[in-house]
Amino acid sequence: MPHTFETPVIAGNWKMHKGPDAARKFCREFAQVAPAQNRTLIVFPPALSLTVVRADLIEHDVGVGVQNIYWEEDGAFTGEISAPMAREAGAEYVLVGHSERRHVFKETDEETSLKVAAAMAAGLFPVLCVGETIEERKAGRLEEVILRQLGAGVKTLSDKDFQHLLIAYEPVWAIGTGETATPEDATDAHTRLRNRLRERLGDAADDVPILYGGSVKPDNAGELLAADQVDGVLVGGASLDPRDFARIAAA
Ligand code: 13P
């Protein structure tokens, strides 16, 4: 079924923060300050807190997702969770290839491809994350790196599958560092990604949301969201505070 995402998309990636109790507290506080919506709000809690966040925020029209999946449906894969399990627990979205998965856990392009395919098969919307390191950027390899990551991630997709895909451009040097890409940096990278999508999809490329992530805060979210080709933001640290996240969601 075709799907159109309402933009901007404001997503919070909690990373390894907030077990069920802290998640419940966040939801209680966020419910008091949640902005009125004509946008897509998503929270990616740790998997153990997913059902809590879903139950508490569904009436506020906030979607939930998991931060990672394994590509097999089930089996002897200790410590992993599968896409159908995440879907059954209420997840609608999944982050794939986040920079911490790639750089801390050594996830490969090939693995992101399998995970995107598994997400699609289970009816989850994958958010494929791409982004260059500072060394790659300084060496003039921005485009090469992000287009390689994009190409690998979408390798198995049909043209129709792209209606269910989101992309997040997260330059590694801007994640958790307080150093944000400028709106121009974001537009530049997003345009390169969009042009690659356009080669394949034509005008339908405009319907694939491309989010920016990397030190998004309440006071820079507005200018980033206003930047050309930026369809939303993926927020780490600032999504942990319900007031900050609400301010970003209202930006
Ligand atoms: P920060 O917003 O903490 O820089 O994290 C960005 C991120 O990795 C979101 O997925």
Side-chain angles (χ1 to χ4, degrees), residues 13 15 98 100 170 174-176 214-216 234-237:
N13 172 12
K15 307 192 179 182
H98 187 277
E100 286 141 26
E170 299 203 299
I175 295 178
S215 297
V216 176
L234 179 54
V235 187

Side-chain angles (χ1 to χ4, degrees), residues 179-218:
E179 192 172 332
T180 320
T182 63
E184 293 74 26
D185 290 334
T187 295
D188 173 55
H190 288 212
T191 301
R192 295 172 201 249
L193 293 165
R194 184 86 65 203
N195 288 345
R196 177 52 56 89
L197 293 173
R198 195 164 281 129
E199 286 168 18
R200 162 123 185 221
L201 304 171
D203 288 346
D206 291 335
D207 299 332
V208 179
I210 306 180
L211 320 186
Y212 167 78
S215 297
V216 176
K217 307 288 176 204

